Amino acid sequence: MEATINKDTFPVTGMSCAGCAGSVENILRKTDGVQTANVNFAANSVLVEYDTSIITKEQLKESLQSAGYDIIIEKDNAYEKQQELEDQHYQETKKRTLWAAILTLPVFVIGMFFMHWHTGHYIEFIFATPVLFVFGREFFVNTWKQAKHRKVNMDTLVALSTGIAYVFSVFTLFFPAYFLRHGIEPHVYFEAATVIITFILLGRLLEAKAKTNTSTALKKLMGLQPKTLRAIINGEEAEIPIEAVEIGNTIIVHPGERIPVDGVVVSGNSTVNESMITGEPIAVEKKAGDKVFAGTVNQTGNFQFTAEKVGKDTFLAHIIQRVQEAQGSKAPVQRLVDKIASVFVPVVMGIALLTFIVWISVGGELGFSHGFTTAIAVLIIACPCALGLATPTAIMVGIGKGAENNILIKDAESLELGHKVNAIILDKTGTITKGKPTVTDVKWFANEQDKSILLAMELASEHPLAFAIVAKLKEEGVQVAPITDFDSITGQGITAKANENVYFVGSRELLASKSILIDDELDHTIKEWQQESKTVIFFMDEKKLIAIYGITDEIKENSIAAIAELKRKGIDVFMVTGDNQNTAESVAKKVGIDYFKGNALPQDKSEFIKELQSKGKIVAMVGDGINDSEALAQADVSIAMAHGSDVAMEVAKITLTTSDLAAIPKAFNLSSLTVNGIRQNLFWALFYNVISIPIAAGVLYSVNGFLLDPMIAGGAMAFSSVSVVLNSLRLKNKKI
């Protein structure tokens, strides 16, 4: 049978840690017919390449279900179903964390300040029991599921350390004489077990909240496509679901509606906001023969079009698919954490078991008691709290620091890679420029009292360039004059009557159609404006030209300085825009960018990023439009500008709440400081374990008779966590 390779992204449920992500990947990769499997733990999804002649989606699902995980294979509303499950899980975790914290508080107070109060130990026992086995039961359940498949993860170490501490404490509480007979003062460790459970649950809660936000971008992209549409079926207009539309159907679109599928206009005229494709704010005129795309917004008129691409073949569907695939790639920092976690847990368990066996073998009469306490000390002192806190605390402080400097950061990947960026791609409109067309040049040749007529006509227009002229006239305090017979001239401009005269506003083609001549000097001025990439608007009556307006999108005040700073840091700066080549060249020269590319479609930007990445570049993409979302998803570091589209800001891992490009080099500096903090934390967390585990195992006993009390081990564990947090907090006082 001929191999047919499919590449699908499936939502995953049942994952609780990075180890689970590794387990899902391993299970799928070992399944016959699967070529590759990459889990995105943050997005709870897996990208699978599989041979459909060997395995089906149903069999992929069954292979994961046997290990306690699941994938959603239904195409319809798959992400809605996953969101529903995640919301349910988040609410359950929130409730369990709250109750665990409430019950842990008295246990912690008694354990730390009334440790010799015997009655208090019973109170600790009563409160600690539900914390571990009701609100923290997921650690033990997950450990059991992993054990059945001969796997371990961070849940295993949490369950073992807290479970053994609990069992040891219960034994000590009810049989203290056993330890007293062996010369050991009995201690209980309920507070260590409950605090660990509560902290880990709190971490899971924060993680679930962050992960919920990561999928919002895809939902907003999917929300661009209407659920229903109006089509002509059997000669009559009818509303049908989007799934029922077929190629060749005639579809009707009214003003304000989104276009449901890709097609070609067959009748009617209108303007369509295609900023999701072009990134430019200027609406595009549509008439018979023009193409329209799913997700774009019809603005002014009614029209009918023939469906040419539906379902997964539309332009919008391709953008969604590419964003899904780009988001499915694994963060480098996650690989490091996975490697540490995969080695750390089984090694610690092995050391604890070895410690017990050695003490039993060579400890003589005290072998069992010493072996038991030292094995517990190893598990408690090696609890993954410091290791688990090393990255998230640095990230949290880094994110907070960024927020204070107008830099909103979504995940660790951006902070890890930001300082490595050596190539950056800037969109033009809304990134380098203000994204708001404004009037820069005006020439009046007749009575300026006609400004009130021009204002009235432009107020009636829906064209974005009209907004610039309206703003200019309002600044001048011009009042609106009464006009009648307002109408649009497709592709050329608008017309209206005032004071028994007919007036026109529009392009040079409209001027020529009225046979109005202009002199050489004015013609030279117009060409100069156009060479400066300005759009020239003509205001005239039936006999003469009254005024011309030059409109441009101004460059932001700090763009030149910010680009110079990026170049000073050794970063190659590129500008890729959907605007025309003349405008691109003009803007690039003004801001000091040596390489630019105009007339670029969304996939061109994405392909250019891939080209740079293939040359070993770490690429950052800065944009603000829906049309930039594909490139933002492909880039190693994605940055959305303030006031950009919601989708761009959701896809981007970093959003600047200021329009000042100077925030970009600041974001890279913050990345460098945060990564240093993560590295220091990981070093100290691992160094602490390298030093403390042998001591907990009793290596000093043969030298000076020292054995580490499990309670001191618990204190050392807590200190290691505190030291990691304090090191992360140092970043708050750093200047970026």
Side-chain angles (χ1 to χ4, degrees):
M1 186 180 292
E2 186 178 351
T4 305
I5 305 301
N6 259 19
K7 191 175 182 181
D8 285 322
T9 300
F10 302 104
V12 184
T13 61
M15 294 192 299
S16 60
C17 67
C20 293
S23 296
V24 170
E25 285 183 350
N26 288 334
I27 291 167
L28 288 175
R29 286 171 183 169
K30 289 178 181 176
T31 304
D32 288 341
V34 174
Q35 297 193 340
T36 63
N38 286 301
V39 170
N40 183 336
F41 181 53
N44 277 339
S45 65
V46 59
L47 178 62
V48 188
E49 275 188 275
Y50 60 102
D51 187 344
T52 55
S53 66
I54 299 176
I55 190 167
T56 64
K57 289 187 286 188
E58 287 74 14
Q59 289 170 319
L60 289 174
K61 184 181 178 76
E62 289 171 6
S63 65
L64 284 178
Q65 284 177 330
S66 65
Y69 306 109
D70 202 355
I71 57 174
I72 300 173
I73 59 175
E74 294 82 7
K75 285 294 182 185
D76 295 337
N77 304 320
Y79 281 88
E80 285 82 353
K81 291 176 184 174
Q82 185 190 31
Q83 182 61 52
E84 189 178 331
L85 291 172
E86 287 177 358
D87 288 344
Q88 187 179 343
H89 181 257
Y90 175 79
Q91 292 302 328
E92 288 176 359
T93 305
K94 187 177 179 181
K95 192 184 297 180
R96 286 191 282 115
T97 304
L98 180 63
W99 279 108
I102 291 172
L103 296 182
T104 294
L105 182 60
V107 176
F108 176 76
V109 171
I110 293 171
M112 297 304 293
F113 303 107
F114 305 97
M115 61 185 70
H116 298 299
W117 181 30
H118 188 65
T119 304
H121 295 166
Y122 288 97
I123 297 174
E124 288 185 84
F125 166 69
I126 292 170
F127 284 103
T129 301
V131 171
L132 265 73
F133 303 114
V134 177
F135 308 116
R137 66 180 182 279
E138 71 175 53
F139 300 109
F140 299 92
V141 172
N142 290 337
T143 297
W144 174 244
K145 285 181 180 176
Q146 294 291 315
K148 287 197 295 185
H149 289 82
R150 298 179 180 179
K151 293 183 180 297
V152 293
N153 60 11
M154 299 293 268
D155 283 348
T156 308
L157 208 50
V158 173
L160 271 180
S161 60
T162 57
I164 291 178
Y166 175 85
V167 171
F168 178 84
S169 299
V170 171
F171 186 83
T172 302
L173 181 62
F174 292 101
F175 306 100
Y178 173 82
F179 294 99
L180 291 172
R181 280 201 304 272
H182 293 84
I184 300 173
E185 185 179 353
H187 283 291
V188 295
Y189 303 99
F190 293 117
E191 80 285 354
T194 55
V195 167
I196 290 169
I197 291 287
T198 302
F199 272 137
I200 300 293
L201 279 175
L202 181 61
R204 294 272 168 92
L205 187 70
L206 295 174
E207 183 180 284
K209 181 66 177 175
K211 286 163 67 178
T212 299
N213 293 333
T214 60
S215 58
T216 309
L218 275 178
K219 289 173 203 156
K220 288 193 174 180
L221 272 174
M222 292 171 181
L224 292 177
Q225 187 172 51
K227 300 291 184 188
T228 61
L229 56 93
R230 289 189 170 277
I232 297 177
I233 307 296
N234 298 324
E236 295 183 358
E237 180 176 335
E239 184 169 343
I240 61 173
I242 188 73
E243 296 81 9
V245 67
E246 297 177 355
I247 293 174
N249 283 158
T250 300
I251 297 168
I252 304 166
V253 185
H254 298 293
E257 292 181 349
R258 287 193 181 276
I259 294 167
V261 296
D262 295 354
V264 176
V265 177
V266 292
S267 66
N269 297 304
S270 185
T271 56
V272 175
N273 183 345
E274 294 187 335
S275 58
M276 64 160 285
I277 298 172
T278 65
E280 302 308 315
I282 300 171
V284 180
E285 298 280 351
K286 295 293 181 182
K287 57 185 183 298
D290 290 339
K291 286 184 178 295
V292 290
F293 301 95
T296 56
V297 182
N298 178 32
Q299 289 195 328
T300 55
N302 299 317
F303 67 88
Q304 297 181 2
F305 74 97
T306 302
E308 288 193 331
K309 293 180 180 177
V310 301
K312 65 179 182 181
D313 296 324
T314 66
F315 193 85
L316 176 62
H318 284 168
I319 291 178
I320 292 171
Q321 184 183 357
R322 288 175 183 175
V323 170
Q324 283 178 331
E325 290 180 4
Q327 286 188 334
S329 58
K330 177 158 285 192
V333 68
Q334 195 61 56
R335 295 194 184 98
L336 175 63
V337 173
D338 288 351
K339 287 179 182 175
I340 293 173
S342 64
V343 175
F344 185 80
V345 177
V347 166
V348 169
M349 291 171 59
I351 292 173
L353 180 61
L354 182 63
T355 299
F356 184 70
I357 293 173
V358 169
W359 274 106
I360 288 288
S361 304
V362 301
E365 293 182 354
L366 300 177
F368 178 81
S369 60
H370 286 178
F372 188 68
T373 53
T374 51
I376 290 173
V378 168
L379 285 174
I380 291 177
I381 208 166
C383 183
C385 280
L387 190 62
L389 289 169
T391 300
T393 53
I395 295 299
M396 287 173 70
V397 175
I399 289 173
K401 185 78 174 177
E404 293 172 2
N405 289 272
N406 301 311
I407 304 163
L408 297 182
I409 301 163
K410 284 186 181 174
D411 65 5
E413 181 182 2
S414 300
L415 280 177
E416 188 203 11
L417 289 177
H419 74 291
K420 296 180 180 176
V421 166
N422 50 20
I424 186 167
I425 297 172
L426 303 174
D427 179 43
K428 180 188 73 67
T429 306
T431 302
I432 296 175
T433 66
K434 293 181 178 177
K436 295 178 181 176
T438 55
V439 173
T440 56
D441 301 276
V442 181
K443 280 186 177 292
W444 278 84
F445 311 105
N447 189 357
E448 293 197 22
Q449 291 181 352
D450 288 343
K451 283 183 177 178
S452 58
I453 298 172
L454 174 61
L455 176 58
M457 293 175 70
E458 293 291 46
L459 278 172
S461 173
E462 297 289 336
H463 201 288
L465 290 180
F467 301 151
I469 296 178
V470 168
K472 176 68 175 175
L473 293 174
K474 284 187 174 179
E475 275 181 14
E476 298 174 2
V478 176
Q479 300 298 312
V480 180
I483 59 172
T484 59
D485 299 336
F486 176 85
D487 199 4
S488 64
I489 305 170
T490 303
Q492 294 189 335
I494 55 176
T495 180
K497 277 187 178 180
N499 304 324
E500 302 301 325
N501 293 320
V502 181
Y503 293 87
F504 304 91
V505 180
S507 63
R508 186 158 186 171
E509 286 74 20
L510 181 60
L511 181 76
S513 70
K514 302 301 171 190
S515 302
I516 298 174
L517 301 177
I518 57 175
D519 58 34
D520 291 342
E521 183 180 353
L522 180 57
D523 184 59
H524 179 71
T525 300
I526 292 170
K527 286 179 179 174
E528 276 189 344
W529 289 5
Q530 290 174 333
Q531 286 172 357
E532 294 169 1
S533 304
K534 296 173 183 172
T535 303
V536 183
I537 299 297
F538 298 81
F539 177 44
M540 69 207 86
D541 59 21
E542 291 181 297
K543 298 177 181 176
K544 63 182 182 300
L545 179 64
I546 301 174
I548 58 173
Y549 277 73
I551 299 176
T552 189
D553 190 6
E554 292 181 11
I555 293 171
K556 294 175 184 172
E557 291 79 5
N558 297 323
S559 291
I560 296 174
I563 289 166
E565 173 64 14
L566 289 169
K567 292 168 78 173
R568 190 191 65 76
K569 291 171 73 71
I571 298 173
D572 296 332
V573 182
F574 303 86
M575 185 183 78
V576 182
T577 174
D579 214 332
N580 67 69
Q581 192 73 3
N582 288 335
T583 303
E585 182 177 3
S586 174
V587 173
K589 283 182 179 176
K590 288 179 182 175
V591 298
I593 293 177
D594 301 322
Y595 182 85
F596 59 91
K597 185 175 182 181
N599 300 313
L601 294 172
Q603 57 267 37
D604 295 332
K605 296 180 181 180
S606 179
E607 289 300 322
F608 184 61
I609 291 173
K610 288 180 183 175
E611 182 183 333
L612 291 175
Q613 288 172 329
S614 68
K615 296 175 182 174
K617 296 282 188 182
I618 306 297
V619 185
M621 170 70 199
V622 187
D624 70 327
I626 295 175
N627 64 309
D628 297 321
S629 58
E630 184 180 329
L632 287 168
Q634 178 61 43
D636 299 297
V637 176
S638 48
I639 302 172
M641 300 300 294
H643 311 303
S645 72
D646 290 345
V647 172
M649 286 189 279
E650 291 298 339
V651 170
K653 301 297 174 59
I654 298 175
T655 297
L656 305 182
T657 58
T658 172
S659 60
D660 188 353
L661 286 186
I664 296 174
K666 279 187 178 181
F668 296 157
N669 292 339
L670 178 64
S671 162
S672 180
L673 291 170
T674 305
V675 168
N676 285 339
I678 292 172
R679 287 173 178 167
Q680 290 164 2
N681 287 346
L682 288 174
F683 170 78
W684 285 113
L686 293 171
F687 179 76
Y688 152 82
N689 281 293
V690 168
I691 297 297
S692 63
I693 289 177
I695 295 174
V699 293
L700 296 179
Y701 187 79
S702 60
V703 178
N704 55 15
F706 177 76
L707 272 183
L708 187 66
D709 190 305
M711 187 170 177
I712 297 175
M717 182 273 292
F719 176 76
S720 70
S721 301
V722 171
S723 64
V724 163
V725 174
L726 291 177
N727 187 54
S728 296
L729 290 174
R730 288 172 59 239
L731 178 59
K732 293 183 74 173
N733 299 320
K734 299 277 187 180
K735 184 180 178 182
I736 62 174

